Amino acid sequence: MLNVVAIMGRLVADPELRTTPQGTNVCSFRIACDRNFVRQGEQRQADFIDIVAWRYLAEFVSRYFQKGGLIAMEGCLRARRDQDK
């Protein structure tokens, strides 16, 4: 099976760096990706994608990227199901 994703866009907000109780760095951020296709007379649309980076990559993103910055990511796609109490 193949699960490879490449995304390029601009950060919507500054990345948020946290540390797990075990000491592992994790960074969450959202990027806006413009769609390539625009119908005549319509505004360009964007998709907003939530990204989670772990360990060294988490520290790197939080240190060198900020809101509005262009970023390109390569990784795998994973779906999460959030359950509320």
Side-chain angles (χ1 to χ4, degrees), residues 5-9 29 31 51-53 57 61 65 71-75:
V5 177
I7 301 171
M8 185 169 75
F29 54 98
I31 62 173
I51 309 285
V52 178
L57 184 58
V61 169
F65 291 91
I71 189 169
M73 300 292 299
E74 180 185 344

Side-chain angles (χ1 to χ4, degrees), residues 19-64:
T19 304
T20 66
Q22 294 79 19
T24 305
N25 289 332
V26 59
C27 182
S28 302
F29 54 98
R30 178 177 285 179
I31 62 173
C33 300
D34 287 337
R35 293 187 182 174
N36 291 334
F37 179 76
V38 179
R39 289 193 175 112
Q40 188 173 3
E42 291 185 2
Q43 286 186 330
R44 183 174 294 275
Q45 293 184 343
D47 294 308
F48 295 88
I49 300 166
D50 294 320
I51 309 285
V52 178
W54 293 86
R55 297 178 181 81
Y56 173 75
L57 184 58
E59 187 178 336
F60 180 83
V61 169
S62 69
R63 182 178 295 166
Y64 294 109

